[in-house]
Amino acid sequence: MKRIVLFAILLTTTIGYTQTPLSYEKPPVFKACDSIAVEQLKSCFNFTLNTFIYENFEVPQIVVDESYVGDVKVLFEVNKEGEFKAIYTDAIYDELKAESQRVFDMLPKIQPATYNGKPTFVQYSLSISIPLRAPVAQNLQSTEAEKLTIKDSLNATLSNEYDQILKDLKPYEELEYHSQLNIPFTHAYYSRFDDDMNALGTNSHTAVKPYVYSDVARYYDIKAEKESLAKSTDSWLGRKVFNEHLVEVQGDDYWFTIDPILDLQVGKDTEADFSSTWNNTRGVFIQAGLGKRFNLSASVYESQGRFAEYFNQYAEALRRGGGEPAIIPGRGIAKRFKEDAYDYPAAEAYLSYTPADFLNIQFGHGKNFIGDGYRSLLQSDVSSPYPFLKLNASFWKIKYTSTWMWLKDVRPEVEVDGAFLTKYMANHYLSWNVSKRLNIGFFESVIWENTNNRGFDVNYLNPIIFLRAIEFQTGQDAGNAILGLSSKYKWNNKINLYGQFILDEFSLSDVKAGEKSWKNKFGYQIGAKYFNAFEIKDLLLQAEYNQVRPYTYSHNTQVLNYASFNQPMAHLWGANFKELVLIGRYNYKRWFGDAKFIIGQRGFDYNTNDDNFSYGGDIYRDYNDRNADTGIKIGQGNKTNSFMAELQAGYLLNPATNLKVFTNIIYRDFNPDAITASTTDSNTLWFSIGVRTDLFNWYNDF
């Protein structure tokens, strides 16, 4: 057990180096070992170092007086210049630690270790016995059978088992950049390679997100980008803060990385009564590969926070009368923290398996997105994480995605014995590159609930069947089906046009009659991206218009709406809205800047005794509670005009982990025609600064 514990400690402290070759070609060489055969250099290095320590180490008097018997543990490295550096010492007496440091500072500069003929740094662990033991002379001219092993009086390794583990390890080669792992989806990070993925002539499929690294690697070299941003530093701390994962381990058929997650912010909301806003997130992010076809990832978050007043009000409104204080948008159910803040843990994880080159299967707990825009009317990532099973098949000019999801309705009226109601969603999305310029996507989705012990309906398990036909076979009231189209046109290498159309229900006769029937439940999106705008490298400009008619995504059986955890599964605003989104993003080396402007009009319910109709914006309302059958138009009800501007600038601390320092400013102007308990006038400025491991999209624009 002692060996296992010490191995775990050494693993997290000595193996987490990108350039650390634990099976290197040539070890460091003392001058006294110049004439020794290569295969005996390691033994000579150990003996010479042992001798130097024995001759120079002065045991402190307090250790002698107390007749101490034990050892001093030392972790040290020999850098690329051949200089010794004690990284960590551990002993019962501080005097022993200080003496060990003094002796290592005295060691002479030697020839550094080499890997593939190039100087590199290496690390060792050793144990200095107290009382000191004289090194045993070694016959360096002995036969192969008599050569000394690595284990000597320094106890550089603890056991033959540990030696074998170290022997099997390799220099970390950043294998995640060609793996079947997902690239953490943030709009800001994906903009770095959006133009490469959308270049003319590429057979890429860009709507289904998150991407896997191997798909992007065909068009953009993420590994080369990370290396180009690397800072020149030889210190362990410098490498870990600015260039590398905290822990990086690679063997013959496995690899893994471990990183801390941080989101530490402090700010001020001009509209709030409290003194400041803040967020405190800590967590861990793990990525791993087993063999060539199996990968896994996990991220666990522990968070507390207090946000701008409009954000807090929205989070508390999402609970819809439930017992929880709030639901943090995009994260999950929160508990009360102190008097005016929230505690909201979250976790995401998935397994990724690629049985054949054309097929990837993922099972996990997370979020998905379909679309080329900032918003998605088909499937977005604005809700809380959920369990899912996803199949991606790519062949010829087609990519076909099937996703099955386990969602939750957390309203108190549908709870059973304190348990939230489970409902299910199945999506199919076919992406077809018609030509080198034009892409068309076909989307279908159905939601059904767990009533009468129906559970997960195997009728929807077929990944290629038409869901609308299945809905008819199982009963039209047994599910809620939605159809959609998407398209993208590459005007040239600089300009892309994209769009979506979502159809929930449609009445052609009512359209011809010009009555604007409530049955015409649909929405659309049109947008454009301008890459390297005005010949400025890495400047992206984007314009997008979205509108969705009232009652879209809703249902007469409320649990069958297009939502989960009381949050929409498509557009953040639900329905009954139109908006214009303008975005600019710029990256220069590690510096970045983003600007976003959103102008919108929405129709809210009044929710009063005199007027409790559904005007079609709240997708959790029964559409049978509508105010009228005809004359339905966007913005009906409590018409609200809104404007939001968000500016963010910062510096990328670590490209390997996407750790960044930033400052963020949000201006929000929200003007309803009528002030109600649920819809209040707001005009605020929210300023924040912080450091964040940027792994998912935060949406503040509701």
Side-chain angles (χ1 to χ4, degrees):
M1 183 64 185
K2 185 177 180 181
R3 293 180 179 179
I4 295 174
V5 172
L6 186 54
F7 169 68
I9 296 172
L10 297 179
L11 191 64
T12 58
T13 55
T14 67
I15 301 177
Y17 295 85
T18 301
Q19 304 172 11
T20 301
L22 292 171
S23 55
Y24 42 83
E25 290 183 350
K26 188 177 179 182
V29 180
F30 281 96
K31 187 175 181 180
C33 302
D34 281 345
S35 59
I36 301 299
V38 172
E39 60 269 21
Q40 294 184 341
L41 284 177
K42 185 173 290 186
S43 295
C44 184
F45 172 83
N46 290 335
F47 177 73
T48 306
L49 178 60
N50 179 19
T51 301
F52 184 92
I53 293 175
Y54 180 76
E55 293 175 351
N56 292 278
F57 197 98
E58 298 178 2
V59 179
Q61 189 59 43
I62 187 175
V63 177
V64 176
D65 293 344
E66 297 186 3
S67 302
Y68 172 71
V69 177
D71 55 18
V72 182
K73 295 289 190 302
V74 182
L75 301 176
F76 69 94
E77 75 174 24
V78 183
N79 65 20
K80 291 187 289 187
E81 285 71 40
E83 299 169 338
F84 284 84
K85 291 186 178 181
I87 301 171
Y88 175 76
T89 59
D90 187 24
I92 192 172
Y93 297 95
D94 290 338
E95 290 83 356
L96 284 175
K97 296 180 184 179
E99 178 61 15
S100 300
Q101 183 67 55
R102 184 190 70 83
V103 172
F104 269 85
D105 289 343
M106 294 172 56
L107 281 161
K109 187 175 182 179
I110 64 176
Q111 294 180 27
T114 58
Y115 184 76
N116 291 332
K118 297 181 180 179
T120 187
F121 62 89
V122 292
Q123 309 105 43
Y124 297 93
S125 63
L126 63 87
S127 179
I128 304 174
S129 298
I130 305 297
L132 294 174
R133 298 177 187 174
V136 179
Q138 302 177 6
N139 178 13
L140 298 178
Q141 304 300 322
S142 59
T143 64
E144 184 70 22
E146 297 171 333
K147 288 177 183 175
L148 296 175
T149 64
I150 297 175
K151 185 176 181 181
D152 54 18
S153 60
L154 290 175
N155 294 320
T157 55
L158 300 178
S159 69
N160 292 332
E161 293 177 76
Y162 184 56
D163 290 344
Q164 188 60 45
I165 292 173
L166 295 180
K167 186 176 179 181
D168 291 342
L169 292 171
K170 297 181 176 180
Y172 184 66
E173 298 173 348
E174 300 173 314
L175 296 182
E176 73 261 35
Y177 301 134
H178 294 275
S179 71
Q180 297 293 325
L181 284 174
N182 293 333
I183 303 175
F185 174 44
T186 68
H187 293 290
Y189 182 61
Y190 275 40
S191 69
R192 286 180 173 264
F193 45 81
D194 208 2
D195 58 333
D196 296 88
M197 294 288 288
N198 286 286
L200 282 175
T202 59
N203 190 31
S204 62
H205 298 268
T206 57
V208 177
K209 299 178 176 73
Y211 304 146
V212 296
Y213 280 105
S214 60
D215 286 345
V216 175
R218 301 171 188 169
Y219 312 105
Y220 184 78
D221 194 337
I222 296 180
K223 181 179 179 181
E225 180 212 19
K226 306 291 188 187
E227 292 174 349
S228 71
L229 296 175
K231 286 183 173 294
S232 178
T233 175
D234 285 331
S235 72
W236 179 87
L237 182 61
R239 290 192 299 269
K240 295 305 164 185
V241 171
F242 295 109
N243 296 334
E244 302 174 1
H245 298 287
L246 178 62
V247 174
E248 299 173 331
V249 175
Q250 181 178 332
D252 287 334
D253 56 358
Y254 65 90
W255 63 268
F256 66 87
T257 64
I258 303 175
D259 292 294
I261 294 174
L262 296 175
D263 189 352
L264 309 176
Q265 301 180 43
V266 63
K268 176 63 179 177
D269 172 24
T270 59
E271 198 174 43
D273 294 332
F274 44 78
S275 59
S276 64
T277 63
W278 53 273
N279 189 64
N280 177 16
T281 294
R282 299 87 55 216
V284 62
F285 182 43
I286 300 172
Q287 299 181 101
L290 301 174
K292 295 181 179 180
R293 298 190 177 276
F294 188 84
N295 297 104
L296 60 92
S297 175
S299 53
V300 180
Y301 304 80
E302 176 60 35
S303 305
Q304 295 83 37
R306 180 176 61 200
F307 310 96
E309 186 63 22
Y310 82 89
F311 190 106
N312 296 337
Q313 290 175 355
Y314 181 78
E316 293 182 8
L318 286 178
R319 62 183 177 174
R320 294 181 175 272
E324 300 79 16
I327 297 177
I328 304 301
R331 305 315 293 152
I333 294 174
K335 300 182 295 182
R336 179 62 66 192
F337 181 76
K338 298 184 177 179
E339 294 183 357
D340 55 3
Y342 310 103
D343 187 331
Y344 60 103
E348 298 186 43
Y350 64 91
L351 305 175
S352 179
Y353 176 57
T354 307
D357 291 340
F358 65 88
L359 179 63
N360 175 250
I361 304 171
Q362 294 188 7
F363 178 68
H365 191 265
K367 297 190 280 189
N368 297 277
F369 187 98
I370 297 177
D372 286 289
Y374 174 69
R375 308 288 199 188
S376 175
L377 306 185
L378 308 181
Q379 182 178 1
S380 185
D381 60 339
V382 301
S383 69
S384 303
Y386 46 80
F388 69 90
L389 171 65
K390 181 165 69 174
L391 275 63
N392 275 315
S394 301
F395 56 93
W396 188 51
K397 297 188 292 183
I398 288 175
K399 182 172 185 176
Y400 189 76
T401 303
S402 294
T403 312
W404 297 269
M405 290 151 281
W406 289 255
L407 310 180
K408 292 290 185 181
D409 190 326
V410 298
R411 293 172 299 141
E413 57 264 36
V414 296
E415 288 186 18
V416 178
D417 297 328
F420 299 130
L421 177 69
T422 299
K423 60 182 184 179
Y424 309 94
M425 177 187 288
N427 289 351
H428 296 160
Y429 181 75
L430 187 148
S431 174
W432 174 30
N433 286 328
V434 181
S435 69
K436 68 178 183 179
R437 295 180 184 271
L438 178 64
N439 172 273
I440 296 177
F442 304 91
F443 175 81
E444 61 173 349
S445 177
V446 66
I447 293 179
W448 70 99
E449 62 172 313
N450 185 24
T451 55
N452 300 321
N453 296 319
R454 182 183 181 190
F456 189 92
D457 195 331
V458 295
N459 287 288
Y460 297 110
L461 196 57
N462 191 321
I464 58 175
I465 202 165
F466 290 102
L467 298 177
R468 186 64 173 171
I470 290 296
E471 187 200 16
F472 274 101
Q473 296 297 323
T474 57
Q476 296 188 47
D477 292 331
N480 180 19
I482 289 177
L483 301 177
L485 288 173
S486 70
S487 64
K488 179 182 66 179
Y489 185 78
K490 303 175 186 178
W491 188 273
N492 52 40
N493 279 328
K494 286 183 172 291
I495 297 177
N496 273 10
L497 308 176
Y498 62 88
Q500 290 183 340
F501 179 78
I502 186 74
L503 180 63
D504 190 359
E505 195 168 346
F506 188 73
S507 175
L508 183 60
S509 61
D510 289 329
V511 171
K512 291 180 178 179
E515 296 179 340
K516 296 183 179 179
S517 170
W518 75 275
K519 296 180 182 178
N520 293 320
K521 300 189 294 180
F522 62 86
Y524 66 86
Q525 173 190 91
I526 54 174
K529 293 180 181 178
Y530 183 15
F531 304 113
N532 300 312
F534 308 113
E535 305 300 327
I536 301 175
K537 181 175 173 55
D538 296 325
L539 173 62
L540 169 65
L541 299 180
Q542 182 177 1
E544 180 177 301
Y545 177 79
N546 300 288
Q547 81 167 43
V548 177
R549 280 183 53 79
Y551 308 109
T552 307
Y553 304 119
S554 61
H555 201 270
N556 60 349
T557 303
Q558 290 167 274
V559 296
L560 295 181
N561 59 16
Y562 205 67
S564 178
F565 274 94
N566 295 353
Q567 302 157 79
M569 286 294 289
H571 196 288
L572 182 65
W573 291 359
N576 192 12
F577 70 86
K578 51 187 175 183
E579 70 164 351
L580 175 65
V581 181
L582 302 174
I583 296 174
R585 305 188 191 276
Y586 179 65
N587 296 289
Y588 177 73
K589 296 182 179 178
R590 292 188 179 222
W591 297 96
F592 66 89
D594 297 333
K596 180 173 61 181
F597 304 91
I598 299 177
I599 305 168
Q601 184 178 94
R602 306 159 70 177
F604 289 92
D605 298 340
Y606 290 101
N607 292 321
T608 65
N609 292 331
D610 296 332
D611 188 344
N612 196 31
F613 292 112
S614 169
Y615 287 90
D618 184 354
I619 65 176
Y620 269 89
R621 293 290 302 271
D622 184 341
Y623 57 57
N624 288 328
D625 294 336
R626 59 188 176 272
N627 63 304
D629 291 340
T630 59
I632 304 300
K633 61 182 180 179
I634 292 176
Q636 68 174 15
N638 190 1
K639 182 188 295 184
T640 301
N641 294 314
S642 64
F643 172 78
M644 174 173 280
E646 182 173 4
L647 303 176
Q648 184 175 130
Y651 182 78
L652 185 62
L653 279 176
N654 191 328
T657 62
N658 212 21
L659 177 68
K660 56 180 66 172
V661 291
F662 67 94
T663 180
N664 195 71
I665 301 174
I666 293 176
Y667 172 73
R668 180 177 183 267
D669 186 42
F670 194 80
N671 294 302
D673 284 349
I675 305 300
T676 69
S678 59
T679 310
T680 59
D681 183 79
S682 175
N683 186 288
T684 188
L685 186 69
W686 183 14
F687 170 78
S688 301
I689 59 174
V691 56
R692 171 192 296 160
T693 306
D694 209 6
L695 300 179
F696 60 89
N697 288 308
W698 268 109
Y699 294 99
N700 299 315
D701 38 33
F702 31 78

